[in-house]
Amino acid sequence: RLLIAPGRPVSTDRLVDDVWGANPPDHPHHPRNTLQGQVSRLRAVLERAQPGGRELLVNGPAGYQLRAGPDAVDAARFTALLQRSRSAGPRERAALLSDALGLWRGDAFAGFAEEPFARPAAGRLEEDRLTALEDRLALRAELGEHGEIIGELDELVAAHPLRERLRAVQLRVLYRAGRQTDALTGYEDLRRRLDEDLGLEPSGELAALHQAILRQDPALDLVPDPGPGPGPAPGREADHAPDPASDPASGRPPATGAGPARGADPRPGSGGTPRPAPAGEVGLFGGTR
């Protein structure tokens, strides 16, 4: 309960209500006594985890507070990486999304996700994870990595068949991989599911993508990387200023290869390789580490 909003106090009454709900502990004096006992046990666990750890859990006028910095909790680090990725170039953004997704080792708040106090936070984190997966997959598609992501797209679509943006990424990837029939079949599957499950039609954007696939619109093709242009003649310097996009002194990132195709969804999504958890890190993705 304290890790949902690290650094913010939670009142004693709120903790008792959230942790025990309608079945408060049967203590001869008051449920707060049982809570104090649990706090003592938690402080002992924190102390064993790192010297001085018991000082991370404090009690003040507003309630109990866990003094965990944002970099010590994987959920907070995940959110911070997503925020950084939004202002990055394509390849750096893909790397940041991979780092963020690599923090996941299970469901958010595993074992507690259905508790009323955890459900909103768990749902938000899960939605952010799926959006990050979509973002990274779309980025990789625009970078030409079609063959490498088709399998992952198929798995995600099977798990989340009604997510239209995920379907749009899949349809583009299948079309660019020369599988137009599979792309059209995927659209029809989504149209049928939306109609049967929700009584809805695909969005206008997705319907337009379907029509573009039917007519094999060149705008769906990936724009090829033109490669480096011819350099100056031997013995002569270039008669123009260097391109600031490739000049390290300009502070701008270097060119990243192929740009997004016309009409393509520019936003990204995929998982990353898990890394070992550093010492002192608290994990909300799959439990405490």
Side-chain angles (χ1 to χ4, degrees), residues 121-135:
R124 175 184 58 78
L125 286 167
E126 178 61 19
E127 179 60 29
D128 286 347
R129 183 184 75 88
L130 288 172
T131 299
L133 285 167
E134 291 171 344
D135 284 350

Side-chain angles (χ1 to χ4, degrees), residues 34-92:
T34 301
L35 177 65
Q36 290 170 359
Q38 295 295 334
V39 167
S40 297
R41 293 178 59 191
L42 178 54
R43 285 190 172 126
V45 170
L46 293 171
E47 186 67 26
R48 288 198 299 270
Q50 67 179 64
R54 67 170 48 252
E55 303 303 324
L56 296 174
L57 181 55
V58 299
N59 186 19
Y64 287 96
Q65 176 183 347
L66 187 66
R67 290 177 173 172
D71 217 41
V73 183
D74 54 8
R77 290 181 32 236
F78 169 74
T79 300
L81 286 167
L82 292 190
Q83 292 174 343
R84 285 178 54 193
S85 73
R86 295 183 184 116
S87 59
R91 292 189 186 277
E92 182 187 1

